[in-house]
Amino acid sequence: QEADRLVGQVLDRIDSDTLLVVMSDHGFRSFRRCCNVNTWLRQNGYLSLLPDREPAEWFDGVDWSQTKAFAVGLAGIYINQKGRERDGIVAPGEETERLKAELIAKLKGLRDPDTGETAILDVMDTRVAYKGPYKENAQDLIIGYNEGYRTAWESATGKVGSKVFYDNTKRWSGDHCLAPGRVPGVFFSNFRFAADHPGIVDLAPTILAAFGMDPPEYMDG
């Protein structure tokens, strides 16, 4: 309501030739259940621990000679690929693509056994979902969580836990690391859209054009 009042005050003070844009890059949803992807990878034979070692952050205790995939960050899975990772064991090309397809098939639609809810709605291959000159720097797979779920706190820092799913008891009880369709952003403008299906990549070139500047050729949108 405060934000609406502020927008109203601005609209009262600008003329019809002044462009007003109010936007967010994402929304927020409830985060009540944690999902430790590294624990799931271990339980399903994709990640191994060294004998007699307690798992710790940043993959301390992981046996890389027996690990095919690992999760780090808030939504990413990486293949332990030969020639790219320090101790990679999965050959690039066909073997990597086959492993990615296998992980997508198993993780997409993964259910939380304690609630019966689908925790993971989608798993995206970044080589397909992304474009541009830097996509090789991206994670191999991106997880799209359902509302109410997010990567577990310890999984984000490379630690294997005892459970795949458990309650989020922290005060941080909302997040945006979900399937994109579950966290739509907000966009408001006093000018009509010229595009039928505008996206966030259209915003920067639109603002440049409003200032009378030509967007650079490398810019999308």
Side-chain angles (χ1 to χ4, degrees):
Q1 291 174 342
E2 288 292 333
D4 285 346
R5 276 193 285 270
L6 178 59
V7 171
Q9 291 171 12
V10 174
L11 283 170
D12 288 340
R13 287 163 173 77
I14 62 175
D15 58 32
S16 59
D17 292 326
T18 301
L19 171 65
L20 174 65
V21 168
V22 180
M23 61 86 63
S24 69
D25 62 329
H26 57 70
F28 261 77
R29 288 291 185 267
S30 177
F31 165 35
R32 303 299 178 184
R33 295 281 286 172
C34 298
C35 177
N36 191 319
V37 181
N38 282 312
T39 302
W40 183 92
L41 290 169
R42 184 191 182 194
Q43 290 180 358
N44 287 270
Y46 298 103
L47 185 151
S48 295
L49 297 177
L50 294 166
D52 303 321
R53 288 283 294 276
E54 288 295 322
E57 288 188 325
W58 312 120
F59 303 103
D60 185 26
V62 168
D63 182 356
W64 294 108
S65 68
Q66 301 296 319
T67 292
K68 295 181 178 180
F70 58 97
V72 67
L74 293 175
I77 296 177
Y78 294 83
I79 305 302
N80 190 25
Q81 192 179 91
K82 287 180 183 178
R84 187 184 68 181
E85 314 301 338
R86 185 189 64 187
D87 301 308
I89 64 171
V90 181
E94 184 178 341
E95 186 177 353
T96 290
E97 296 305 315
R98 186 166 58 247
L99 178 56
K100 287 195 294 184
E102 187 175 308
L103 289 170
I104 290 171
K106 289 184 178 181
L107 282 168
K108 188 173 181 178
L110 184 69
R111 289 187 177 275
D112 179 348
D114 295 327
T115 66
E117 295 286 333
T118 299
I120 296 178
L121 297 178
D122 198 8
V123 182
M124 294 157 278
D125 185 339
T126 59
R127 301 304 183 267
V128 177
Y130 292 171
K131 64 179 182 179
Y134 303 109
K135 68 179 182 179
E136 296 303 319
N137 296 333
Q139 306 95 324
D140 292 299
L141 301 173
I142 294 287
I143 298 175
Y145 288 100
N146 195 5
E147 182 177 348
Y149 289 84
R150 200 205 72 174
T151 299
W153 296 98
E154 71 271 31
S155 185
T157 57
K159 184 179 179 181
V160 178
S162 58
K163 294 181 178 181
V164 176
F165 294 104
Y166 63 90
D167 288 337
N168 173 34
T169 57
K170 294 182 181 289
R171 293 183 68 184
W172 187 294
S173 59
D175 217 306
H176 58 88
C177 303
L178 284 75
R182 296 299 170 113
V183 281
V186 172
F187 186 92
F188 170 85
S189 174
N190 59 335
F191 282 30
R192 290 185 179 275
F193 295 147
D196 291 333
H197 301 287
I200 193 170
V201 295
D202 298 316
L203 192 60
T206 297
I207 291 173
L208 287 173
F211 280 103
M213 302 172 62
D214 292 329
E217 292 183 359
Y218 61 78
M219 186 175 283
D220 292 333

